[in-house]
Amino acid sequence: MRNYLFKIKYDGFAFHGWQIQPNGVTVQQCVTDAVRRIFSTDACVHGCSRTDAGVHANEFCFNCKLETEMPCEKMVYALNAVLPETIAVTDCSPVSDGFHARFDCKGKEYVYIINNSKVRDPFLINRAYHYKYKLDEDFLNGQAKAFIGTHDFAAFCAAGSCVKDTVRTVYDFTVRREGERVIFTVSGDGFLYNMVRIAVGTLLDISRGKLEAGSVPQIIESRERSRAGVTVPACGLYLNKVFYGENNDDKH
């Protein structure tokens, strides 16, 4: 029995998030079913995070323990042969027996994509947030820097979250433009429920003058969700990278 770390990517529009739930198709359920078909076992599939319904992943990691002689490269092809087309395994590697995709994660990077045009792009529906108001990416990039550092981000956590520790460290937060797409990229040691979507919504509200420029530090200090901006739709959010330690491919 060996422990394996798998990397996948998926289009989240088709799923009710990662975690298995009674009603709705989830990524974890599809992966678990694929593992059962290929390896004839009900292995526990441990994900690195809990993405919400409609959220995508350019890189998502899970681990599971398997009794197999199949090389990692063949595992990738075998699983892809039975997974839905909206999920793809991109890598597989053996890890230590005690490794856990969630608890050994050192950090993550998220990307939020806005289609910043007056007319919607049909090819970006459910894959980016259509926002028709003109955005100044350089201005937003400057405003985003206020999130960097270790702070209590209670003001950027969705109401109803049961998490007790709301302190997180943001490593970097940038905003750039690629044609009509404005891309928000944020990395940190962890994120609260809807934290990235609320942070982006806050920057958009600052852009439109609904919140004052330079107000992010005061919003953070307030710890009040009502002081921050709107929660932008899930369709523009992508888990982009997952960071582990020295013994794994990725680290911060």
Side-chain angles (χ1 to χ4, degrees):
M1 184 79 70
R2 295 199 67 178
N3 196 12
Y4 294 92
L5 174 64
F6 293 87
K7 293 182 180 181
I8 62 174
K9 58 173 58 178
Y10 56 82
D11 178 351
F13 176 69
F15 302 103
H16 290 260
W18 159 260
Q19 190 170 7
I20 291 175
Q21 50 187 273
N23 302 309
V25 180
T26 67
V27 180
Q28 187 180 31
Q29 185 64 66
C30 290
V31 169
T32 300
D33 291 345
V35 169
R36 183 184 300 115
R37 287 185 61 183
I38 297 300
F39 303 104
S40 302
T41 181
D42 289 319
C44 291
V45 174
H46 304 289
C48 65
S49 183
R50 298 179 180 181
T51 56
D52 291 335
V55 175
H56 313 289
N58 291 323
E59 179 177 281
F60 187 98
C61 297
F62 72 86
N63 74 285
C64 63
K65 294 182 179 181
L66 300 168
E67 188 71 57
T68 180
E69 298 297 324
M70 189 182 298
C72 282
E73 184 178 1
K74 288 190 176 181
M75 285 194 224
V76 171
Y77 292 126
L79 288 171
N80 281 334
V82 297
L83 280 166
E85 291 184 341
T86 45
I87 305 173
V89 179
T90 60
D91 189 63
C92 169
S93 60
V95 288
S96 64
D97 187 64
F99 177 88
H100 193 288
R102 179 182 175 189
F103 300 124
D104 287 317
C105 178
K106 304 301 182 186
K108 302 181 184 77
E109 179 181 274
Y110 282 91
V111 165
Y112 195 89
I113 300 177
I114 288 180
N115 173 30
N116 189 213
S117 63
K118 292 183 178 180
V119 179
R120 67 181 179 274
D121 184 340
F123 296 103
L124 293 178
I125 300 300
N126 300 318
R127 291 174 176 82
Y129 174 35
H130 177 225
Y131 189 81
K132 64 181 180 180
Y133 303 102
K134 180 67 175 177
L135 294 175
D136 181 338
E137 64 276 9
D138 293 329
F139 169 74
L140 289 172
N141 187 59
Q143 296 294 304
K145 301 309 178 191
F147 287 97
I148 298 174
T150 301
H151 307 287
D152 186 333
F153 285 103
F156 296 88
C157 183
S161 174
C162 59
V163 66
K164 294 182 179 180
D165 182 8
T166 51
V167 175
R168 297 291 186 274
T169 299
V170 171
Y171 302 138
D172 198 13
F173 200 155
T174 63
V175 184
R176 71 183 192 278
R177 177 179 291 275
E178 294 181 1
E180 292 185 326
R181 301 185 192 188
V182 175
I183 302 170
F184 299 71
T185 305
V186 56
S187 59
D189 64 354
F191 295 89
L192 302 170
Y193 183 45
N194 281 352
M195 179 174 161
V196 176
R197 291 165 61 188
I198 296 170
V200 172
T202 299
L203 292 173
L204 294 184
D205 280 354
I206 290 173
S207 176
R208 292 194 65 192
K210 293 184 176 181
L211 293 171
E212 290 186 11
S215 62
V216 169
Q218 289 73 39
I219 296 171
I220 293 174
E221 187 177 356
S222 76
R223 302 183 69 250
E224 296 177 8
R225 172 65 187 93
S226 60
R227 294 281 299 275
V230 298
T231 303
V232 291
C235 62
L237 186 61
Y238 295 74
L239 177 55
N240 199 47
K241 293 180 182 178
V242 183
F243 303 117
Y244 290 107
E246 295 284 350
N247 295 325
N248 297 290
D249 292 337
D250 296 318
K251 61 180 180 177
H252 186 268

